[in-house]
Amino acid sequence: MKANQKFLTDNERGDIGVGTLIIFIAMVLVAAVAATVLIYTTGALQQKATKTSKEATQQISSNIVVEQVLGDRGETSNQSINDLLIRLKPDVGTTSIDLRQVIVTIMDSTKRYDLNYSSEGYNSSNTTNTTNTTYTAIAVRDEDMSFSNTTPVLNSGDLIEIQVSANAIQGIVLAPRKTFWLSLNQELGQAVNLEIATPNSFGVNRYVRLYP
């Protein structure tokens, strides 16, 4: 009788040991799966954080500074402005800016025009060389020779002049006391928005200072 009791006790201990082993193995498997999920999630979050920080840096470090906006009347007898001449440069610390990705928007209370870059060339006296919905540009200062008609890229220290002809904004007549809005929308960074009012009189000068 005592032998049977001892056998039953040993058998119960064996069952408990096997059950404990199964639970232990299950815990190890669950921990391994959880560790794999955590490692994958951490890697994905790290990639997203790196991409987000890079995009945020580009957004902050991409900025266009408009130095001057002139109106070219062509002839001093004209009572309206033919061409808009916009001088701009990259801000301090700005990465390279490709004009092919910059949209120039000009609008008044009734008309709006979104203009894209054209590589056809710049002509300060002839406004018929620019097709509608486009603008052209030349380099005023370009020490590293990075800017050309085919690769209009602005680097630090460059000074570029954009020409918007009357053909591109033919629905907007830039006469005296005219208010219009100018926007430069780049691929990265904040858009530049200007509200410009033409002078009360153009006087006898061919070039009219509009901004600043």
Side-chain angles (χ1 to χ4, degrees), residues 131-143:
T131 57
N132 196 22
T133 71
T134 62
Y135 65 88
T136 57
I138 59 169
V140 178
R141 182 180 62 237
D142 182 20
E143 294 295 334

Side-chain angles (χ1 to χ4, degrees), residues 49-79:
T50 302
K51 182 180 179 181
T52 302
S53 63
K54 183 178 180 180
E55 291 178 352
T57 302
Q58 291 177 337
Q59 290 283 349
I60 295 173
S61 62
S62 297
N63 191 25
I64 294 176
V65 176
V66 176
E67 284 204 337
Q68 190 180 58
V69 179
L70 296 177
D72 183 1
R73 299 166 62 189
E75 298 179 0
T76 57
S77 60
N78 288 344
Q79 297 302 310

